[in-house]
Amino acid sequence: MPLFGNSFSPKKTPPRKWASLSNLHLLDRSTREIELGLEYGTPTMNLAGQSLKFENGQWVSESGSFLGGHRELQRLRKRNQQLEEENNLLRLKVDILLDMLSETTAESHLMEKELEELKQHSRKKK
């Protein structure tokens, strides 16, 4: 028995002879949709009284009354952009303040070190 080897090794399963007993895989897609009822249509949903359907990778309003929502969407995008710009400015200010704090802390440590050296030097003279 190996110390670090794999002690469990299951037997390999034999390959299948037939992928499926059904002959539905031989049918083309349109025939399968007709036979099995696979035509679902476009996905739709209702949000806040607004009916939307999924077309070409985007959710589109089924009714033409989405103009008010479109204006609201434009207003929200503009507000979002303003907030992102403000956030970027605040991040820049925080970075500058952290740099200033680091610099001041380093100077303070140097001054404390110099002061300690001066104290030790004055004690030696006495």
Side-chain angles (χ1 to χ4, degrees), residues 18-27 32 36:
W18 297 100
S20 174
L21 297 176
S22 170
N23 62 355
L24 289 175
H25 67 279
L26 299 175
L27 300 175
R32 270 186 281 172
L36 302 174

Side-chain angles (χ1 to χ4, degrees), residues 31-96:
T31 308
R32 270 186 281 172
E33 286 177 356
I34 293 169
E35 290 290 323
L36 302 174
L38 297 176
E39 183 60 41
Y40 297 119
T42 58
T44 58
M45 70 174 168
N46 190 3
L47 287 175
Q50 186 67 36
S51 181
L52 302 168
K53 61 183 177 179
F54 193 74
E55 288 182 352
N56 300 326
Q58 292 186 346
W59 288 98
V60 180
S61 173
E62 286 186 345
S63 62
S65 65
F66 199 61
L67 292 176
H70 183 66
R71 289 185 186 129
E72 179 71 13
L73 182 63
Q74 285 180 339
R75 186 187 68 77
L76 288 174
R77 283 184 181 162
K78 184 177 180 181
R79 179 69 176 143
N80 188 27
Q81 184 177 0
Q82 289 173 346
L83 290 173
E84 284 178 358
E85 290 173 0
E86 182 181 353
N87 193 17
N88 289 337
L89 178 65
L90 291 173
R91 285 183 183 178
L92 179 65
K93 286 182 178 182
V94 166
D95 286 342
I96 291 171

Side-chain angles (χ1 to χ4, degrees), residues 98-114:
L98 285 173
D99 289 343
M100 291 170 62
L101 178 65
S102 299
E103 184 179 345
T104 305
T105 304
E107 288 176 0
S108 171
H109 287 303
L110 284 174
M111 288 182 176
E112 287 176 4
K113 190 175 181 181
E114 287 178 9

